[in-house]
């Protein structure tokens, strides 16, 4: 069982009255306000098409929110200087297909640091070791399984030592053992590196085993249906929230 | 026949076993039976022994159509497995409200909407071009090491790899151009002017144009496909989240590569085209090689060659810009990449011809060419 860390005054990420989606007349989610504290593993949950990935895209600056404000380390995304203070792992990894895993991890270091080539190589090797892929440094993404691609993407996301890590469905589409391994790896890395992790998922296993606090998005009501620790949401008075955790179909 | 459909005043009785193999006949019979209007017509399935889901879908559709025509209609009498199918296919739910026809817009409204749509579509390339221009100072201030590492390879792929097809096509066009002019030249005893003809037309117009067409098909389409694939696999998004501008990292090197490769290919194309004309000149028109080359030296001025080189550099920049923009604007999956590639080639060909006309007029206007 995980315990939520003691909240501190300044959140690492804050969303205020956020509306997301493509159609301003019918946002996927609106009036979403939440704050993520340093060191937390924070879950953005919801059913398919509830706006989880769109929320993540808005938080990392890939999609413009329809309304509201996002602050990361107290600044709006436009005010953030230099390399972004966060890493992102996309659902299918989004590794650069023409580059080996080592090159993928070295890429942000080559772009944003003036380290010599051998130092960059050593750092890339160390990052790949963190995710258990030290032996696959020279492999191309196409030679890897889905789970390995996701792990490599985490290594790349951690290349510039960001304090904040966004993960889009890290354990979806994987077998239960690999899925549990990834969950454990995320938890270990977060605790060891002092990372704040924002996790988009609908995998109940991940939610219950590693998430400290979460919000549940609902596209029917275009709102954040509930917020709190997973066990609190599982015992919620709101039947729709409870049904999500009990895997009860809506029609029931 | 294992089924039977009969119409009473307020009832269509569906009896027997109704299977998909008889679907066409069943639908025809059902619609014929429903033709005569009445305030209420029920679909009675009490004597239906079995039916496929497909036939049930047709029955529900008929019920909805009757409802839309203002006839009250229910599916009644079903029992056992047939009743389960009725429920599964929504036959027990109320018929949906008839779909409202979209309001008709006047010509002026449609013209306004089309103009707004056109302006919106025109804005996107302009914004992209602005992004490209604004990335240049950034690139000069802080050139990303990785951005330019691939430049020699890009030039080699666009240039050296395309050389055989450029040489072959330009040689053949030069050959055909002079070959088709042969009767006219002979008629006026102007055989030696074959060298003038292909020398001037080739270097100024034909070689840059044909080379640009080949570069559009090879490199423009390839850029759209590469960037389009990166877009649909979220690699472009990954670049952005690493704080790297796709325009600076992917687009600018490709524009520079084609700005260099296209003129180099054009110079090779000039030689190939003139060689094609030369072969016809000496074999068909009886011009001596020495005479042909001497006439060529007199006819073709350095600016003729340079104007072609300038044109092809502009063509190269245009092709790379269009290919990259289409690639980055790709949406959807593999089909989207295909669409972007096709669109790239069409837009490139259009842009090349328009730019060629404009530059030819400009060069003539400023007196740069005769």
């Amino acid at each position: 069982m995980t315990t939520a860390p003691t909240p501190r005054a300044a959140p690492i990420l804050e969303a205020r009255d956020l509306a997301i989606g493509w159609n301003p007349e019918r946002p996927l989610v609106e009036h979403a306000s939440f704050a993520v504290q340093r060191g937390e593993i924070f879950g953005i949950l919801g059913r398919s098409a509830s706006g989880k990935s769109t929320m993540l895209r808005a938080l990392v600056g890939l999609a413009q929110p329809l309304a509201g404000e996002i602050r990361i380390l107290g600044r709006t995304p436009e005010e953030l200087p230099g390399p972004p203070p966060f890493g992102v792992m996309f659902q299918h990894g989004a590794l650069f297909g023409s580059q080996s895993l080592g090159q993928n991890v070295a890429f942000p270091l080559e772009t944003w640091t003036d380290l010599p080539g051998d130092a960059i190589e050593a750092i890339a090797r160390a990052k790949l070791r963190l995710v258990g892929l030290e032996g696959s440094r020279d492999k191309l993404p196409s030679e890897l399984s889905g789970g390995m691609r996701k792990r490599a993407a985490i290594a790349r996301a951690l290349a510039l030592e960001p304090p904040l890590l966004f993960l889009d469905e890290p354990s979806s589409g994987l077998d239960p053992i690999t899925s549990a391994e990834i969950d454990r790896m995320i938890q270990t890395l977060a605790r060891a590196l002092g990372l704040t992790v924002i996790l988009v998922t609908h995998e109940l296993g991940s939610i219950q085993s590693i998430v400290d606090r979460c919000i549940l998005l609902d596209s029917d009501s275009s709102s954040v249906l509930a917020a709190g620790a997973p066990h609190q949401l599982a015992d919620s008075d709101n039947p729709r929230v409870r049904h999500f955790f009990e895997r009860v179909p809506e029609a029931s | 026949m294992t089924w039977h459909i009969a119409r009473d005043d307020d009832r269509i009785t569906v009896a027997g076993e109704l299977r998909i193999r008889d679907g066409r006949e069943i639908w025809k019979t059902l619609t014929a039976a429903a033709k005569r209007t009445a305030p209420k017509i029920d679909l009675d399935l009490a004597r239906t022994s079995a039916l496929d889901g497909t036939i049930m879908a047709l029955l529900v559709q008929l019920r909805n159509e009757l409802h839309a025509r203002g006839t009250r209609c229910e599916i009644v009498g079903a029992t056992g497995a047939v009743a389960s199918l009725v429920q599964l296919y929504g036959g027990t739910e109320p018929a949906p409200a008839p779909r409202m026809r979209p309001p008709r817009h006047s010509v002026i409204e449609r013209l306004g909407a089309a103009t707004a749509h056109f302006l919106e579509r025109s804005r996107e390339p302009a914004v992209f071009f602005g992004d490209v221009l604004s990335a240049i100072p950034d690139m000069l201030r802080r050139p990303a090491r990785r951005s330019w590492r691939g430049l020699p390879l890009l030039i080699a792929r666009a240039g050296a790899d395309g050389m055989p097809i450029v040489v072959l096509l330009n040689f053949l066009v030069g050959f055909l151009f002079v070959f088709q002019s042969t009767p006219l030249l002979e008629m006026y005893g102007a055989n030696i002017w074959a060298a003038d003809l292909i020398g001037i037309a080739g270097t100024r117009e034909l070689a840059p144009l044909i080379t640009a067409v080949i570069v559009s098909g090879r490199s423009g389409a390839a850029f759209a496909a590469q960037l389009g694939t990166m877009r649909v696999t979220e690699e472009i998004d990954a670049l952005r989240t690493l704080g790297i501008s796709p325009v600076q990292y992917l687009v600018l090197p490709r524009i520079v590569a084609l700005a260099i490769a296209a003129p180099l290919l054009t110079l090779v194309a000039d030689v190939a085209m003139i060689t094609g004309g030369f072969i016809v000149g000496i074999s068909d028109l009886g011009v001596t090689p020495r005479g042909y080359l001497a006439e060529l030296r007199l006819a073709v001025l350095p600016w003729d060659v340079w104007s072609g080189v300038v044109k092809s550099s502009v063509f190269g920049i245009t092709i790379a810009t269009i290919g990259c923009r289409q690639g980055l604007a790709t949406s959807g999956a593999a089909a989207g990449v295909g669409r972007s590639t096709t669109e790239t080639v069409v837009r490139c060909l259009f842009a090349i011809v328009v730019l060629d006309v404009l530059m030819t007029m400009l060069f003539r206007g400023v007196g740069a060419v005769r």
Side-chain angles (χ1 to χ4, degrees), chain A:
Chain A
M1 190 178 137
T2 56
T3 51
T6 318
R8 292 180 197 171
I12 193 164
L13 181 143
E14 198 175 6
R16 290 178 198 156
D17 207 18
L18 207 60
I20 53 157
W22 314 108
N23 182 358
E25 284 163 24
R26 203 194 177 297
L28 280 170
V29 176
E30 56 188 337
H31 307 302
S33 295
F34 54 90
V36 181
Q37 305 297 335
R38 282 177 188 273
E40 252 187 330
I41 299 183
F42 186 85
I44 298 175
L45 322 180
R47 297 180 56 192
S48 298
S50 61
K52 303 186 297 292
S53 292
T54 310
M55 175 66 82
L56 181 135
R57 291 178 69 81
L59 294 178
V60 301
L62 288 174
Q64 193 68 26
L66 298 172
E69 189 183 55
I70 296 162
R71 285 191 172 266
I72 296 175
L73 296 166
R75 296 177 181 207
T76 62
E78 297 78 30
E79 291 169 355
L80 290 169
F86 52 78
V88 183
M89 190 220 77
F90 289 87
Q91 191 171 357
H92 302 290
L95 296 169
F96 305 123
S98 58
Q99 300 178 1
S100 69
L101 291 200
Q103 288 169 330
N104 261 281
V105 180
F107 183 83
L109 293 162
E110 288 176 336
T111 307
W112 286 109
T113 72
D114 51 6
L115 288 164
D118 53 351
I120 287 178
E121 205 176 302
I123 295 169
R125 204 179 304 127
K127 299 285 177 191
L128 284 170
R129 192 180 302 124
L130 277 183
V131 296
L133 288 175
E134 62 271 38
S136 306
R137 193 165 54 100
D138 297 323
K139 285 190 177 163
L140 289 171
S142 56
E143 298 173 276
L144 304 179
S145 67
M148 289 165 90
R149 259 181 244 158
K150 290 186 184 217
R151 281 194 276 163
I154 292 176
R156 185 179 65 185
L158 292 175
L160 294 169
E161 303 290 340
L164 179 58
L165 186 62
F166 289 92
L167 305 173
D168 190 5
E169 308 272 10
S171 49
S172 71
L174 304 176
D175 68 81
I177 306 287
T178 312
S179 175
E181 280 171 2
I182 296 237
D183 286 344
R184 197 178 315 137
M185 188 189 79
I186 293 165
Q187 198 170 31
T188 309
L189 288 175
R191 300 292 179 245
L193 302 173
L195 284 172
T196 306
V197 178
I198 296 181
L199 186 78
V200 165
T201 188
H202 53 218
E203 298 286 326
L204 287 176
S206 303
I207 298 164
Q208 277 152 351
S209 63
I210 64 170
V211 168
D212 296 320
R213 271 189 328 124
C214 54
I215 54 172
L216 178 63
L217 305 185
D218 177 49
S219 59
D220 289 341
S221 58
S222 298
S223 66
V224 174
L225 204 55
H231 67 270
Q232 290 171 329
L233 266 60
D235 297 334
S236 167
D237 293 336
N238 185 333
R240 296 183 70 185
V241 178
R242 229 174 31 248
H243 286 170
F244 178 82
F245 282 84
E246 290 166 1
R247 300 179 190 224
V248 179
E250 287 290 313
S252 313

Side-chain angles (χ1 to χ4, degrees), chain B residues 81-157:
Chain B
V82 175
S84 304
L85 269 184
V86 173
Q87 193 170 12
L88 189 66
Y89 279 81
T92 52
E93 294 162 20
R99 226 183 258 173
M100 296 289 283
R101 272 196 174 187
R104 288 179 73 89
H105 295 290
S106 70
V107 176
I108 292 174
E109 280 174 318
R110 276 182 282 167
L111 193 65
T115 310
H117 182 66
F118 173 77
L119 289 176
E120 183 59 31
R121 285 197 61 172
S122 312
R123 198 180 68 91
E124 289 166 18
V127 168
F128 178 76
F129 196 61
D131 285 348
V132 171
L133 290 181
S134 65
I136 293 171
D138 273 355
M139 178 197 73
L140 295 174
R141 213 169 31 240
R142 195 177 182 286
R145 267 189 278 175
R146 289 211 63 126
S147 304
W148 300 102
R149 203 181 287 169
L151 185 63
L153 186 66
L154 286 170
I155 295 174
R157 282 203 183 141

